[in-house]
Amino acid sequence: MRLPGLVDVHVHMREPGGTHKEDWDSGTAAALAGGVTMVLGMPNTRPAVTDNQTLDEALAAAASKARCDYGQYLGAGPVVPDVSGLAERIAGVKMYLDQTYGPLRLDEMDLWVRHFSAWPVQVPVAVHAEGRSLAAAILLASLADRPVHLCHVSTREEIEVIRMAKQSGVKVTCEVAPHHLFLCEEDAAAIGAGRSEVRPRLARRRDVEALWQNLDVIDCFATDHAPHTLAEKEGENPPPGFPGLETALPLFLNAVTEGRLSLEDIIQRYVTAPRRIFHLPEQADTWVEVDLDAAWEVRAAEMHSRCGWTPFEGWKLRGRVRSVTLRGQEVVRDGQVLAKVGSGRNVRL
Ligand code: NCD
Ligand code: ZN
Ligand code: ZN
Ligand code: ZN
C-alpha cells in the first residue's frame, strides 16, 4: 500500500541548544523512519527563534543536517518584530499562551492582539492555548480577522468550542497529537510519573472519546514530537513532552485495521490539510510504502530519535513503514535511514 509522504506541522528539533535531546539530523531521521517527509520545526530552542539572527542560526543547522524537507517557525515574543523580511522565510508564527517547556509565553492578551494584527494573513499563526485560553485565542484572532491554527487539542470542551467556531464561520483550524488519541490519564501510571509529563496533559477517558467522536472537526494530525532524554524525564523536574515521529503512522495504521480510521482519514489529516493550511509545496516523486498486515512491537531501542524512549514501549501494532521515497530517492528501507545528512530542502526557499 502506497501513501503520500506525510507532513508533520508540529515537531521540536531542539537545535540549537538542546542537541543532546535531538538535532536536525536525528530528528529528521526519526521523521523519515516514520514516513514523514516534511516537518515544521518549533521555535522553543535555546536561544529561542524570535528574530532574523536566531532564525538564521536555526535554518543554517537545518540546511546542513536535515534529511527531510523542513520549515522553521518563529516564536512570538514580548516585542513584535518588523515582519518584512521575516514573514516569507518562516513556516509560521508560534504563540505560546499557556505554560509549557521553554521561555516563550505571552501573558498579556493585548500582546496576542498585536501579533495577530502584525503578521500578514497568509503567514500561518499556530497557538498553544488550552481550555479557556483557547476560547480567548479564537475570539481575538477572529476580531483581528485572521486565521488561527490551534495546536494539540486534547479535551472535549476544546473540540466542542472549535466545532462551534467553525460553524459560525471563524477561520480556525486545529491539530490533534497521537498521544491524545491513544493515551489517557489512566495510562500515566504505567508509563511512569516523570515520563508521562506532557503539555497538554494526558486527558480523561471521556476527553479522548470526544476527540474520536469529533474526528470531522480535527483538521490535522501532528505529533508534537517533543523529545527529552530518559535521564531528564526521570530526574528532579521532568520536562513535559513525548517523542512521536516514529510511532504516529503505525498507530494510525493500527487504527485502520481496528476499523477506527480509514486510510483516507490519515491522508486528509496528515498530508492534504497540513499542506493547505500552512501553504506547503507538494513533494514530487515522494511516497511511503506501508505494510498494513505487519505485526510488530514498539521498541525505543530500534528508533532514531536521540531521546531513547517512547510512551508506547511494548505496544503490539499492526501496520508498519516498509520504505520511503523522497523526490525519487529511496531514503528509508526496512528501518534503515538512507537519506544523506543535509539533503532536506527548506520549504520556503
Ligand atoms: C513541548 C516541548 O517539550 O518543547 N512539550 C510538550 O509537553 N508538548 C512544548 C509544547 O509543545 O508545548
Ligand atoms: Zn505546546
Ligand atoms: Zn510542541
Ligand atoms: Zn497557499
PDB file of all heavy atoms in Angstrom, residues 321-345:
ATOM      1  N   VAL A 321       5.953   0.938   8.345  1.00  0.00           N
ATOM      2  CA  VAL A 321       6.592   1.535   7.175  1.00  0.00           C
ATOM      3  C   VAL A 321       7.585   0.535   6.591  1.00  0.00           C
ATOM      4  O   VAL A 321       8.395  -0.021   7.326  1.00  0.00           O
ATOM      5  CB  VAL A 321       7.349   2.831   7.579  1.00  0.00           C
ATOM      6  CG1 VAL A 321       8.179   3.356   6.406  1.00  0.00           C
ATOM      7  CG2 VAL A 321       6.366   3.896   8.065  1.00  0.00           C
ATOM      8  N   ARG A 322       7.492   0.288   5.293  1.00  0.00           N
ATOM      9  CA  ARG A 322       8.450  -0.595   4.628  1.00  0.00           C
ATOM     10  C   ARG A 322       9.580   0.218   3.993  1.00  0.00           C
ATOM     11  O   ARG A 322      10.754  -0.084   4.147  1.00  0.00           O
ATOM     12  CB  ARG A 322       7.754  -1.427   3.548  1.00  0.00           C
ATOM     13  CG  ARG A 322       7.117  -2.662   4.055  1.00  0.00           C
ATOM     14  CD  ARG A 322       8.156  -3.741   4.475  1.00  0.00           C
ATOM     15  NE  ARG A 322       7.542  -4.710   5.376  1.00  0.00           N
ATOM     16  CZ  ARG A 322       7.952  -4.953   6.624  1.00  0.00           C
ATOM     17  NH1 ARG A 322       8.997  -4.310   7.129  1.00  0.00           N
ATOM     18  NH2 ARG A 322       7.335  -5.841   7.377  1.00  0.00           N
ATOM     19  N   SER A 323       9.181   1.259   3.237  1.00  0.00           N
ATOM     20  CA  SER A 323      10.195   2.108   2.601  1.00  0.00           C
ATOM     21  C   SER A 323       9.622   3.497   2.374  1.00  0.00           C
ATOM     22  O   SER A 323       8.398   3.679   2.391  1.00  0.00           O
ATOM     23  CB  SER A 323      10.647   1.504   1.267  1.00  0.00           C
ATOM     24  OG  SER A 323       9.601   1.613   0.320  1.00  0.00           O
ATOM     25  N   VAL A 324      10.530   4.450   2.231  1.00  0.00           N
ATOM     26  CA  VAL A 324      10.124   5.828   1.946  1.00  0.00           C
ATOM     27  C   VAL A 324      10.955   6.332   0.783  1.00  0.00           C
ATOM     28  O   VAL A 324      12.177   6.112   0.746  1.00  0.00           O
ATOM     29  CB  VAL A 324      10.355   6.747   3.181  1.00  0.00           C
ATOM     30  CG1 VAL A 324       9.935   8.183   2.869  1.00  0.00           C
ATOM     31  CG2 VAL A 324       9.615   6.220   4.406  1.00  0.00           C
ATOM     32  N   THR A 325      10.285   6.980  -0.160  1.00  0.00           N
ATOM     33  CA  THR A 325      10.980   7.584  -1.300  1.00  0.00           C
ATOM     34  C   THR A 325      10.717   9.081  -1.275  1.00  0.00           C
ATOM     35  O   THR A 325       9.560   9.510  -1.199  1.00  0.00           O
ATOM     36  CB  THR A 325      10.484   6.951  -2.620  1.00  0.00           C
ATOM     37  OG1 THR A 325      10.783   5.555  -2.578  1.00  0.00           O
ATOM     38  CG2 THR A 325      11.164   7.588  -3.828  1.00  0.00           C
ATOM     39  N   LEU A 326      11.794   9.856  -1.271  1.00  0.00           N
ATOM     40  CA  LEU A 326      11.688  11.320  -1.231  1.00  0.00           C
ATOM     41  C   LEU A 326      12.336  11.893  -2.480  1.00  0.00           C
ATOM     42  O   LEU A 326      13.532  11.681  -2.714  1.00  0.00           O
ATOM     43  CB  LEU A 326      12.380  11.861   0.034  1.00  0.00           C
ATOM     44  CG  LEU A 326      12.545  13.382   0.158  1.00  0.00           C
ATOM     45  CD1 LEU A 326      11.219  14.118   0.041  1.00  0.00           C
ATOM     46  CD2 LEU A 326      13.232  13.731   1.479  1.00  0.00           C
ATOM     47  N   ARG A 327      11.526  12.602  -3.272  1.00  0.00           N
ATOM     48  CA  ARG A 327      11.994  13.184  -4.534  1.00  0.00           C
ATOM     49  C   ARG A 327      12.804  12.179  -5.350  1.00  0.00           C
ATOM     50  O   ARG A 327      13.904  12.456  -5.790  1.00  0.00           O
ATOM     51  CB  ARG A 327      12.783  14.473  -4.261  1.00  0.00           C
ATOM     52  CG  ARG A 327      11.844  15.625  -3.881  1.00  0.00           C
ATOM     53  CD  ARG A 327      12.531  16.950  -3.668  1.00  0.00           C
ATOM     54  NE  ARG A 327      12.870  17.178  -2.296  1.00  0.00           N
ATOM     55  CZ  ARG A 327      14.045  17.007  -1.756  1.00  0.00           C
ATOM     56  NH1 ARG A 327      15.047  16.613  -2.503  1.00  0.00           N
ATOM     57  NH2 ARG A 327      14.240  17.248  -0.482  1.00  0.00           N
ATOM     58  N   GLY A 328      12.229  10.979  -5.489  1.00  0.00           N
ATOM     59  CA  GLY A 328      12.821   9.963  -6.362  1.00  0.00           C
ATOM     60  C   GLY A 328      13.910   9.114  -5.722  1.00  0.00           C
ATOM     61  O   GLY A 328      14.331   8.112  -6.312  1.00  0.00           O
ATOM     62  N   GLN A 329      14.379   9.491  -4.538  1.00  0.00           N
ATOM     63  CA  GLN A 329      15.447   8.727  -3.874  1.00  0.00           C
ATOM     64  C   GLN A 329      14.858   7.854  -2.771  1.00  0.00           C
ATOM     65  O   GLN A 329      14.056   8.348  -1.966  1.00  0.00           O
ATOM     66  CB  GLN A 329      16.455   9.676  -3.202  1.00  0.00           C
ATOM     67  CG  GLN A 329      17.180  10.608  -4.153  1.00  0.00           C
ATOM     68  CD  GLN A 329      18.253   9.883  -4.935  1.00  0.00           C
ATOM     69  OE1 GLN A 329      18.986   9.063  -4.394  1.00  0.00           O
ATOM     70  NE2 GLN A 329      18.331  10.168  -6.231  1.00  0.00           N
ATOM     71  N   GLU A 330      15.272   6.607  -2.701  1.00  0.00           N
ATOM     72  CA  GLU A 330      14.846   5.778  -1.580  1.00  0.00           C
ATOM     73  C   GLU A 330      15.605   6.240  -0.332  1.00  0.00           C
ATOM     74  O   GLU A 330      16.834   6.205  -0.298  1.00  0.00           O
ATOM     75  CB  GLU A 330      15.118   4.297  -1.853  1.00  0.00           C
ATOM     76  CG  GLU A 330      14.466   3.432  -0.784  1.00  0.00           C
ATOM     77  CD  GLU A 330      14.469   1.956  -1.120  1.00  0.00           C
ATOM     78  OE1 GLU A 330      15.553   1.335  -1.095  1.00  0.00           O
ATOM     79  OE2 GLU A 330      13.377   1.425  -1.396  1.00  0.00           O
ATOM     80  N   VAL A 331      14.863   6.713   0.663  1.00  0.00           N
ATOM     81  CA  VAL A 331      15.507   7.304   1.854  1.00  0.00           C
ATOM     82  C   VAL A 331      15.315   6.446   3.110  1.00  0.00           C
ATOM     83  O   VAL A 331      15.987   6.681   4.124  1.00  0.00           O
ATOM     84  CB  VAL A 331      14.995   8.745   2.110  1.00  0.00           C
ATOM     85  CG1 VAL A 331      15.543   9.691   1.052  1.00  0.00           C
ATOM     86  CG2 VAL A 331      13.475   8.800   2.153  1.00  0.00           C
ATOM     87  N   VAL A 332      14.407   5.470   3.041  1.00  0.00           N
ATOM     88  CA  VAL A 332      14.239   4.516   4.145  1.00  0.00           C
ATOM     89  C   VAL A 332      13.961   3.151   3.529  1.00  0.00           C
ATOM     90  O   VAL A 332      13.210   3.046   2.558  1.00  0.00           O
ATOM     91  CB  VAL A 332      13.050   4.895   5.067  1.00  0.00           C
ATOM     92  CG1 VAL A 332      12.784   3.783   6.096  1.00  0.00           C
ATOM     93  CG2 VAL A 332      13.285   6.208   5.777  1.00  0.00           C
ATOM     94  N   ARG A 333      14.588   2.117   4.108  1.00  0.00           N
ATOM     95  CA  ARG A 333      14.308   0.750   3.682  1.00  0.00           C
ATOM     96  C   ARG A 333      14.372  -0.127   4.927  1.00  0.00           C
ATOM     97  O   ARG A 333      15.412  -0.190   5.582  1.00  0.00           O
ATOM     98  CB  ARG A 333      15.330   0.330   2.606  1.00  0.00           C
ATOM     99  CG  ARG A 333      15.468  -1.154   2.312  1.00  0.00           C
ATOM    100  CD  ARG A 333      14.229  -1.833   1.752  1.00  0.00           C
ATOM    101  NE  ARG A 333      13.704  -1.269   0.509  1.00  0.00           N
ATOM    102  CZ  ARG A 333      12.563  -1.659  -0.062  1.00  0.00           C
ATOM    103  NH1 ARG A 333      11.824  -2.619   0.499  1.00  0.00           N
ATOM    104  NH2 ARG A 333      12.142  -1.087  -1.161  1.00  0.00           N
ATOM    105  N   ASP A 334      13.244  -0.736   5.299  1.00  0.00           N
ATOM    106  CA  ASP A 334      13.176  -1.660   6.444  1.00  0.00           C
ATOM    107  C   ASP A 334      13.897  -1.137   7.691  1.00  0.00           C
ATOM    108  O   ASP A 334      14.779  -1.802   8.229  1.00  0.00           O
ATOM    109  CB  ASP A 334      13.723  -3.031   6.030  1.00  0.00           C
ATOM    110  CG  ASP A 334      12.809  -3.690   5.008  1.00  0.00           C
ATOM    111  OD1 ASP A 334      11.579  -3.497   5.095  1.00  0.00           O
ATOM    112  OD2 ASP A 334      13.329  -4.369   4.099  1.00  0.00           O
ATOM    113  N   GLY A 335      13.525   0.051   8.100  1.00  0.00           N
ATOM    114  CA  GLY A 335      14.055   0.599   9.353  1.00  0.00           C
ATOM    115  C   GLY A 335      15.394   1.309   9.227  1.00  0.00           C
ATOM    116  O   GLY A 335      15.847   1.965  10.168  1.00  0.00           O
ATOM    117  N   GLN A 336      16.055   1.160   8.069  1.00  0.00           N
ATOM    118  CA  GLN A 336      17.337   1.841   7.847  1.00  0.00           C
ATOM    119  C   GLN A 336      17.084   3.180   7.172  1.00  0.00           C
ATOM    120  O   GLN A 336      16.426   3.225   6.141  1.00  0.00           O
ATOM    121  CB  GLN A 336      18.201   1.007   6.890  1.00  0.00           C
ATOM    122  CG  GLN A 336      18.745  -0.254   7.468  1.00  0.00           C
ATOM    123  CD  GLN A 336      20.204  -0.038   7.841  1.00  0.00           C
ATOM    124  OE1 GLN A 336      20.501   0.080   9.025  1.00  0.00           O
ATOM    125  NE2 GLN A 336      21.077   0.055   6.866  1.00  0.00           N
ATOM    126  N   VAL A 337      17.642   4.264   7.726  1.00  0.00           N
ATOM    127  CA  VAL A 337      17.514   5.567   7.075  1.00  0.00           C
ATOM    128  C   VAL A 337      18.702   5.767   6.144  1.00  0.00           C
ATOM    129  O   VAL A 337      19.857   5.719   6.572  1.00  0.00           O
ATOM    130  CB  VAL A 337      17.426   6.703   8.117  1.00  0.00           C
ATOM    131  CG1 VAL A 337      17.417   8.056   7.423  1.00  0.00           C
ATOM    132  CG2 VAL A 337      16.160   6.539   8.960  1.00  0.00           C
ATOM    133  N   LEU A 338      18.399   5.945   4.856  1.00  0.00           N
ATOM    134  CA  LEU A 338      19.451   6.040   3.834  1.00  0.00           C
ATOM    135  C   LEU A 338      19.679   7.478   3.376  1.00  0.00           C
ATOM    136  O   LEU A 338      20.645   7.761   2.681  1.00  0.00           O
ATOM    137  CB  LEU A 338      19.060   5.189   2.611  1.00  0.00           C
ATOM    138  CG  LEU A 338      18.588   3.754   2.920  1.00  0.00           C
ATOM    139  CD1 LEU A 338      17.983   3.099   1.683  1.00  0.00           C
ATOM    140  CD2 LEU A 338      19.747   2.919   3.444  1.00  0.00           C
ATOM    141  N   ALA A 339      18.783   8.389   3.758  1.00  0.00           N
ATOM    142  CA  ALA A 339      18.887   9.780   3.290  1.00  0.00           C
ATOM    143  C   ALA A 339      20.182  10.419   3.778  1.00  0.00           C
ATOM    144  O   ALA A 339      20.592  10.213   4.915  1.00  0.00           O
ATOM    145  CB  ALA A 339      17.696  10.582   3.812  1.00  0.00           C
ATOM    146  N   LYS A 340      20.789  11.196   2.907  1.00  0.00           N
ATOM    147  CA  LYS A 340      22.023  11.886   3.287  1.00  0.00           C
ATOM    148  C   LYS A 340      21.725  13.062   4.208  1.00  0.00           C
ATOM    149  O   LYS A 340      20.736  13.785   4.040  1.00  0.00           O
ATOM    150  CB  LYS A 340      22.735  12.412   2.042  1.00  0.00           C
ATOM    151  CG  LYS A 340      23.453  11.352   1.262  1.00  0.00           C
ATOM    152  CD  LYS A 340      24.668  11.986   0.558  1.00  0.00           C
ATOM    153  CE  LYS A 340      25.116  11.179  -0.646  1.00  0.00           C
ATOM    154  NZ  LYS A 340      24.122  11.244  -1.762  1.00  0.00           N
ATOM    155  N   VAL A 341      22.617  13.270   5.169  1.00  0.00           N
ATOM    156  CA  VAL A 341      22.569  14.444   6.038  1.00  0.00           C
ATOM    157  C   VAL A 341      22.670  15.691   5.150  1.00  0.00           C
ATOM    158  O   VAL A 341      23.519  15.749   4.255  1.00  0.00           O
ATOM    159  CB  VAL A 341      23.746  14.370   7.036  1.00  0.00           C
ATOM    160  CG1 VAL A 341      23.997  15.702   7.691  1.00  0.00           C
ATOM    161  CG2 VAL A 341      23.483  13.289   8.078  1.00  0.00           C
ATOM    162  N   GLY A 342      21.766  16.646   5.340  1.00  0.00           N
ATOM    163  CA  GLY A 342      21.813  17.881   4.560  1.00  0.00           C
ATOM    164  C   GLY A 342      21.064  17.817   3.243  1.00  0.00           C
ATOM    165  O   GLY A 342      21.051  18.794   2.491  1.00  0.00           O
ATOM    166  N   SER A 343      20.414  16.676   2.954  1.00  0.00           N
ATOM    167  CA  SER A 343      19.704  16.561   1.673  1.00  0.00           C
ATOM    168  C   SER A 343      18.287  17.142   1.724  1.00  0.00           C
ATOM    169  O   SER A 343      17.628  17.261   0.696  1.00  0.00           O
ATOM    170  CB  SER A 343      19.655  15.098   1.226  1.00  0.00           C
ATOM    171  OG  SER A 343      19.020  14.306   2.218  1.00  0.00           O
ATOM    172  N   GLY A 344      17.819  17.510   2.917  1.00  0.00           N
ATOM    173  CA  GLY A 344      16.484  18.093   3.031  1.00  0.00           C
ATOM    174  C   GLY A 344      16.438  19.505   2.479  1.00  0.00           C
ATOM    175  O   GLY A 344      17.459  20.201   2.455  1.00  0.00           O
ATOM    176  N   ARG A 345      15.244  19.918   2.038  1.00  0.00           N
ATOM    177  CA  ARG A 345      15.096  21.267   1.471  1.00  0.00           C
ATOM    178  C   ARG A 345      14.194  22.142   2.337  1.00  0.00           C
ATOM    179  O   ARG A 345      13.198  21.668   2.872  1.00  0.00           O
ATOM    180  CB  ARG A 345      14.452  21.183   0.082  1.00  0.00           C
ATOM    181  CG  ARG A 345      15.371  20.632  -0.956  1.00  0.00           C
ATOM    182  CD  ARG A 345      14.738  20.844  -2.330  1.00  0.00           C
ATOM    183  NE  ARG A 345      15.446  20.061  -3.329  1.00  0.00           N
ATOM    184  CZ  ARG A 345      14.942  19.742  -4.510  1.00  0.00           C
ATOM    185  NH1 ARG A 345      13.720  20.128  -4.842  1.00  0.00           N
ATOM    186  NH2 ARG A 345      15.651  19.044  -5.373  1.00  0.00           N
TER     187      ARG A 345
END
